[in-house]
Each structure stands twice: as structure tokens, then as C-alpha cells.
């Protein structure tokens, strides 16, 4: 008597389990190959090898499936294996929470940045223009409880004929004023050859948006051992931004702060578009502190308060803002820097003083 459906299905059930076992064994071999490929810098995708496997399967195929069907079944298996290899690679990323589940706390002097520490404000002029300008800004900001002072000595300018910064002399001015007022000094580095000078004068090396994928610079800054503030590139995806941070961590530097500074969109009312989801996502995917630069994001003084609130609400560990003694005569970004009076109003309207002394989770409690 012929077997009934139930008996045939029982046989299929047994075969399913055998197939699963074989597939799992195959997947483990693929993982081992994937590891070797990664170690040797080879791609997981090898179309020539896939073609050879498909040809061998066609030659061995006795039916009843047609070759095209066998190919499509195996292509699924190839794809699943490659996915596995890629997932395996991701687990190795030093920026990933899979490798480092706790929040990183970056120490700058006696400041602790990240995790549940109070949000930190980095304030100061766009560019260091003179010792007098820097002294005025540093003295004022320190008197308002600011702990980190910014000022660019090397400026990445679109127009080569515009003010390029004072260079190493600017770094020296920034360092001296910061020391006089007990501030930590943050400044942008544009060239890997300047690392030694920055090590001498700056507390935090800023990698600007335009250099986010300058891999030579990232490697040099990563090796400097100094804390780094890594801006997101003008048109960088979140993944590219995190990969740039990976370069720094890969060089053995764990003290990395990410900084969202707005991205290029079609919008004309703002200079850039602040991507708040990137702040939240960077905090989910990585263990690094994330700041929001509210000045370059919107490029508008009237957005500084709401963008600060938005940044803190999505979990930012700090805010960067440009403050200049006399923005009208500033040599760069004179439309968006704020004067001292406006900064006082900013502190008041954001409630920053209360927030500076509170744990991050208390800043915006929902
Ligand atoms: C800056 O902070 O001085 C600056 C140039 O910013 P960004 O690199 O984000 O444009
Ligand atoms: Mn600026």
C-alpha cells in the first residue's frame, strides 16, 4: 500500500531537521571563512566562487528541481551566509555597544563627560582673532560657569582669501587664556602634521566636519592620546560618522566625543539641518558621548535656544555654541555668533545653570 500524506510528511520532518543541521554546519564554516577574510582584508563577497559553486550544483543536479530553482535556493543560502559574516564583523567594532555596553565617560581635566554626568557647555568664538578678543571671551564665559572654551586657530574656510586663523600663535593664545580662567581648551586640527603642537596647547582636538573622513588626520589624532571631538561631516551618513570614530578608537584612543552639527539638506532657511535622530541613534549604537553644535546646525541666533532644548531632550551630553565679544566684527561666522548679553539670555532661557549642575537624566525627565 502507498504511503499516506501523514507518513510522507513525517519523512519530510526528518529531512527538514537534517537540512537544518547541514545548513548550520555550513553556516559555521562560512563564519570561519568570514573571519579569515576579515583578518586578511578580503571581501566576503566573492562572485567567482559563487559561480563555481552554482556550476558544480548544476552538474550534480538530477532533478526534480530545475537548475534555475536550485540556483535560486542556493543564492539565498549564500546571501544568508554573507549576512552572518557581516554581522560577525560588526560585533568587532570598538564603537559598538556590542563590544562596550556601558557609556564611555571622557575625562578632560577634572571634567567628566558622558553617561549620567551633567551636560557640558563648550563656548567660545568661532576663531581666535587676537589675545584681547580671547581674553575677553574666556573671562566672561568662565564667570558664567562655562568649563570648556572653544576657538579655532586653523580655520577651514570655503574662500581661500578669507581669514584662515592665526595658526600655532592662535593655539598659544587660546591655551594661555584658558589657563588663566581654569577652562579646558578645544580647538580644531586640520593637518596631521600639527598633532605635536596641538598636544602642547589644546586639551581636546576637534576634527571638523570637512575633515571627518580625512583618514590620515583621524589616524594621527587617534594616536595623539588626546580627547577628540569628532564633528559629523556635512553630508555624512550616521554610519560614516561612526566609522570615522572607529578609526580613532582603532588607534587606541577611547576618549572620543561625537558632535552633530547639522547636515546639508535642500532647506534654505537654515544653514544646515540639525539631525536630532542622529544624536539619539549615535547614542543607541555607540557608547560615546554625543554633543550638539547649535551654532553651525541652524546658523541662526533665533534657533539657539530651541535647538539646545531639542539636543538635550534626545540625550545630548553637551552643547557647543559660538560666543564672541563683538560678533559684528568677527572674522568668521559673524552672522551666527552671539555677544555676551545674548549669551546671558541664552543661559536663562535654556535654564542651563540649573541643568549644568544636574545629572543628565534629570535634565529632561519625561
Ligand atoms: C567649528 O566648529 O569651528 C567648525 C568649523 O565647525 P564644523 O566643522 O562643524 O563646520
Ligand atoms: Mn564657526
Amino acid at each position: 500500500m502507498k504511503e499516506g500524506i501523514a507518513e510522507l510528511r513525517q519523512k519530510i520532518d526528518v529531512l527538514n531537521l537534517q537540512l537544518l543541521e547541514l545548513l548550520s554546519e555550513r553556516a559555521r564554516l562560512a563564519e570561519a571563512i568570514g573571519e579569515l577574510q576579515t583578518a586578511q582584508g578580503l571581501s566576503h563577497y566573492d562572485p567567482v566562487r559563487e559561480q563555481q559553486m552554482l556550476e558544480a550544483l548544476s552538474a550534480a543536479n538530477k532533478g526534480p528541481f530545475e537548475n534555475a530553482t536550485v540556483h535560486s535556493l542556493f543564492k539565498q543560502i549564500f546571501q544568508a551566509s554573507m549576512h552572518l559574516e557581516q554581522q560577525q564583523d560588526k560585533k568587532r567594532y570598538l564603537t559598538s555597544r556590542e563590544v562596550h555596553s556601558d557609556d564611555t565617560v571622557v575625562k578632560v581635566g577634572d571634567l567628566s563627560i558622558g553617561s549620567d554626568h551633567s551636560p557640558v557647555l563648550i563656548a567660545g568664538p568661532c576663531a581666535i582673532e587676537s589675545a584681547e578678543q580671547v581674553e575677553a571671551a574666556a573671562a566672561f564665559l568662565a564667570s558664567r560657569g562655562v568649563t570648556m572654551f572653544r576657538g579655532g586657530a586653523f580655520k577651514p574656510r570655503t574662500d581661500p582669501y578669507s581669514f584662515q586663523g592665526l595658526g600655532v600663535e592662535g593655539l598659544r593664545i587660546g591655551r594661555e587664556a584658558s589657563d588663566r580662567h581654569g577652562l579646558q581648551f578645544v580647538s580644531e586640527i586640520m593637518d596631521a602634521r600639527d598633532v605635536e603642537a596641538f598636544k602642547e596647547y589644546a586639551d581636546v582636538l576637534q576634527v571638523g566636519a570637512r575633515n571627518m573622513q580625512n583618514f590620515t588626520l583621524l589616524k594621527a589624532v587617534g594616536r595623539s592620546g588626546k580627547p577628540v571631538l569628532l564633528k559629523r561631516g556635512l553630508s555624512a551618513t550616521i554610519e560614516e560618522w561612526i566609522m570615522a570614530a572607529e578609526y580613532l578608537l582603532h588607534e587606541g584612543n577611547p576618549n572620543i566625543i561625537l558632535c552633530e552639527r547639522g547636515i546639508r539638506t535642500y532647506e534654505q532657511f537654515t544653514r544646515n539641518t540639525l539631525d536630532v535622530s542622529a544624536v539619539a541613534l549615535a547614542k543607541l549604537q555607540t557608547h560615546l558621548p554625543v554633543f550638539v553644535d547649535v551654532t553651525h546646525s541652524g546658523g541662526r541666533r533665533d534657533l539657539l535656544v530651541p535647538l539646545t532644548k531639542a539636543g538635550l531632550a534626545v540625550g545630548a551630553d553637551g552643547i557647543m555654541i559660538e560666543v564672541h565679544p563683538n560678533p559684528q566684527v568677527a572674522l568668521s561666522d559673524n552672522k551666527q555668533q552671539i555677544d555676551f548679553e545674548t549669551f546671558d539670555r541664552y543661559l536663562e532661557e535654556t535654564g542651563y545653570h540649573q541643568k549644568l549642575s544636574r545629572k543628565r537624566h534629570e535634565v529632561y525627565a519625561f
Side-chain angles (χ1 to χ4, degrees):
M1 197 181 86
K2 268 195 142 186
E3 286 172 302
I5 290 177
E7 288 79 19
L8 291 170
R9 280 186 170 163
Q10 260 178 12
K11 286 189 176 170
I12 282 200
D13 287 342
V14 171
L15 284 175
N16 278 348
L17 294 178
Q18 287 174 351
L19 278 173
L20 176 63
E21 217 160 285
L22 285 171
L23 283 172
S24 305
E25 198 177 322
R26 191 189 186 287
R28 279 190 287 275
L29 290 173
E31 278 183 333
I33 291 173
E35 254 177 62
L36 290 171
Q37 285 170 327
T38 301
Q40 292 170 33
L42 299 171
S43 163
H44 296 311
Y45 180 54
D46 185 346
V48 176
R49 163 79 181 145
E50 284 198 4
Q51 193 53 35
Q52 283 166 349
M53 289 192 286
L54 293 175
E55 279 165 18
L57 288 162
S58 296
N61 183 22
K62 298 193 188 78
F65 283 136
E66 289 184 9
N67 281 344
T69 310
V70 172
H71 284 195
S72 97
L73 285 169
F74 272 83
K75 276 186 185 165
Q76 289 277 324
I77 296 173
F78 299 162
Q79 217 168 26
S81 303
M82 199 160 76
H83 183 68
L84 208 59
E85 292 166 346
Q86 286 163 346
Q87 289 304 106
Q88 199 170 243
D89 283 348
K90 287 212 173 104
K91 286 197 188 125
R92 248 187 295 271
Y93 285 109
L94 302 170
T95 41
S96 160
R97 286 223 184 247
E98 300 211 34
V99 170
H100 189 289
S101 59
D102 292 342
D103 290 333
T104 284
V105 174
V106 174
K107 294 261 185 203
V108 181
D110 51 9
L111 276 178
S112 295
I113 299 167
S115 196
D116 204 24
H117 293 282
S118 321
V120 172
L121 195 52
I122 303 176
C126 180
I128 290 182
E129 298 165 4
S130 68
E132 296 70 30
Q133 168 237 19
V134 167
E135 171 55 27
F140 166 75
L141 292 166
S143 78
R144 297 304 191 263
V146 169
T147 46
M148 293 182 85
F149 183 68
R150 63 150 287 146
F154 295 86
K155 294 303 299 176
R157 306 302 302 282
T158 302
D159 182 339
Y161 304 112
S162 58
F163 178 60
Q164 303 286 305
L166 298 181
V168 176
E169 173 60 9
L171 287 180
R172 201 182 51 74
I173 292 173
R175 170 78 273 149
E176 286 177 5
S178 298
D179 283 345
R180 275 195 297 277
H181 299 285
L183 295 159
Q184 303 297 331
F185 179 43
V186 186
S187 200
E188 176 170 352
I189 178 166
M190 297 208 299
D191 191 319
R193 290 168 295 189
D194 295 330
V195 165
E196 287 312 310
F198 273 81
K199 275 169 80 171
E200 189 177 343
Y201 294 115
D203 297 301
V204 176
L205 275 51
Q206 176 174 323
V207 174
R210 289 154 194 81
N211 273 309
M212 189 204 80
Q213 282 190 317
N214 179 340
F215 299 114
T216 310
L217 178 64
L218 291 174
K219 286 179 189 173
V221 166
R223 283 194 292 268
S224 74
K226 288 290 222 181
V228 181
L229 182 90
L230 177 65
K231 295 273 196 103
R232 180 178 180 190
L234 278 73
S235 303
T237 64
I238 297 169
E239 187 172 25
E240 288 164 342
W241 184 30
I242 295 174
M243 285 297 178
E246 187 71 27
Y247 267 88
L248 299 168
L249 289 172
H250 179 69
E251 295 297 336
N253 192 341
N255 298 312
I256 312 303
I257 302 166
L258 296 169
C259 183
E260 160 65 32
R261 44 79 73 207
I263 48 171
R264 276 273 163 87
T265 68
Y266 51 79
E267 186 48 63
Q268 307 277 307
F269 281 7
T270 48
R271 177 170 169 181
N272 293 293
T273 298
L274 173 63
D275 183 1
V276 281
S277 59
V279 179
L281 258 166
K283 288 196 59 93
L284 282 178
Q285 293 236 330
T286 80
H287 45 85
L288 303 171
V290 183
F291 275 45
V292 171
D293 172 343
V294 289
T295 297
H296 296 97
S297 293
R300 295 176 59 130
R301 296 189 181 116
D302 55 358
L303 289 184
L304 295 172
V305 171
L307 295 188
T308 297
K309 290 181 177 174
L312 293 174
V314 289
D317 298 283
I319 299 292
M320 177 182 265
I321 185 166
E322 286 184 350
V323 182
H324 190 287
N326 188 359
Q328 269 169 338
V329 301
L331 298 176
S332 58
D333 283 354
N334 60 354
K335 286 198 194 69
Q336 53 203 275
Q337 302 198 62
I338 53 172
D339 59 20
F340 296 169
E341 207 185 314
T342 313
F343 184 72
D344 273 338
R345 264 206 316 279
Y346 167 85
L347 286 181
E348 206 175 298
E349 286 172 26
T350 53
Y352 218 102
H353 274 314
Q354 293 79 31
K355 294 181 174 73
L356 278 174
S357 57
R358 290 162 78 174
K359 296 280 184 199
R360 201 174 56 76
H361 80 269
E362 295 166 347
V363 172
Y364 275 89
F366 288 102

